[in-house]
Amino acid sequence: KKVMRIAILGISHETNTFSVTPATFEEFEKKEIKRRDEIIRHFEKSNYTIAGYIQASKELNFELVPLMYANTGPIGTITKDAYEKLSSEMFAMLKNEGPWDGVLIANHGAAVSEEYPDMDAEFTNTVRKIVGKDTPVGITFDMHANISKETVKNTDICIVWRTCPHLDAKPRAFKCASLLVKAIKKEIVPTQFIEAPPMLVNI
């Protein structure tokens, strides 16, 4: 029986567009750029999104293929150079190492780059172009994410943390992965819709 292969990748950034410190490639390097098994070793015992994906792979018996993950603190806008360097490396891995049964993304959900005001939509759009319309894509967001219609359109499963302080990242990611597995097995057909009324909510 064929074991499902599911890729993990992500650029996680809570962009503060008022900050004068740009999120350069060097800022990501200083904080966190992890590749391959480094991702598993770093997050396995954590309470973060990726830990939930790892737990799901063990309990639901699929092969989790860690590609690349990048993160830096909540500083300014991601530079064009940083996004290009990070995403092009990740997307080359995704393209060259397929085909995939599914993809799990670990983004924050509030990223802005110099080129893309909705970086997460751009990121998920490229993932969708690489894997095609029939490969289920799941994403787990921080509850402070700015979730757009484009991101919802580009993914099959979009799960958001619910608590602040953020204590439920791991179980929410497990939920995302478990729904992805059901979608791959054709046990469910995930359907998403988002309506964004014109209002600001004070957090």
Side-chain angles (χ1 to χ4, degrees):
K1 186 178 150 189
K2 185 172 156 287
V3 176
M4 284 177 276
R5 287 180 78 241
I6 298 176
I8 286 188
L9 71 166
I11 298 175
S12 179
H13 192 241
E14 185 174 32
T15 304
N16 176 356
T17 55
F18 297 103
S19 171
V20 294
T21 308
T24 59
F25 184 74
E26 291 69 33
E27 289 291 341
F28 280 95
E29 279 187 315
K30 269 193 267 181
K31 176 83 190 286
E32 191 162 74
I33 299 177
K34 298 273 187 281
R35 296 173 180 85
R36 310 292 184 185
D37 288 341
E38 280 181 334
I39 297 170
I40 305 293
R41 285 196 300 273
H42 185 75
F43 287 108
E44 195 165 15
K45 293 184 169 71
S46 75
N47 190 38
Y48 182 59
T49 292
I50 291 172
Y53 293 163
I54 296 166
Q55 183 193 358
S57 72
K58 292 173 181 172
E59 292 188 21
L60 306 174
N61 196 30
F62 62 84
E63 183 192 353
L64 194 62
V65 184
L67 300 179
M68 185 172 161
Y69 172 79
N71 170 38
T72 190
I75 51 177
T77 302
I78 300 167
T79 63
K80 183 174 186 285
D81 169 71
Y83 183 73
E84 275 177 6
K85 275 185 181 160
L86 293 168
S87 65
S88 61
E89 187 178 345
M90 290 180 198
F91 294 147
M93 290 173 168
L94 191 67
K95 202 171 192 170
N96 298 335
E97 296 175 36
W100 305 100
D101 294 298
V103 178
L104 287 166
I105 302 172
N107 282 18
H108 176 285
V112 177
S113 77
E114 286 176 334
E115 208 174 356
Y116 304 111
D118 186 351
M119 190 219 82
D120 298 287
E122 177 60 27
F123 190 90
T124 52
N125 185 43
T126 307
V127 168
R128 176 57 73 204
K129 281 179 180 164
I130 292 169
V131 301
K133 64 177 174 35
D134 297 326
T135 302
V137 175
I139 192 162
T140 307
F141 277 144
D142 185 296
M143 71 177 290
H144 298 117
N146 302 315
I147 304 166
S148 65
K149 291 185 178 185
E150 288 73 23
T151 296
V152 166
K153 189 179 78 184
N154 298 334
T155 58
D156 298 280
I157 296 150
C158 181
I159 294 281
V160 183
W161 307 348
R162 287 177 167 167
T163 67
C164 189
H166 302 317
L167 303 175
D168 65 341
K170 185 176 175 181
R172 295 297 286 158
F174 184 91
K175 170 89 172 169
C176 179
S178 63
L179 289 172
L180 190 83
V181 166
K182 285 182 176 177
I184 293 165
K185 290 177 173 176
K186 304 271 196 290
E187 290 172 14
I188 60 168
V189 180
T191 304
Q192 304 194 115
F193 184 81
I194 188 167
E195 191 55 62
M199 61 190 290
L200 287 173
V201 180
N202 185 327
I203 62 167

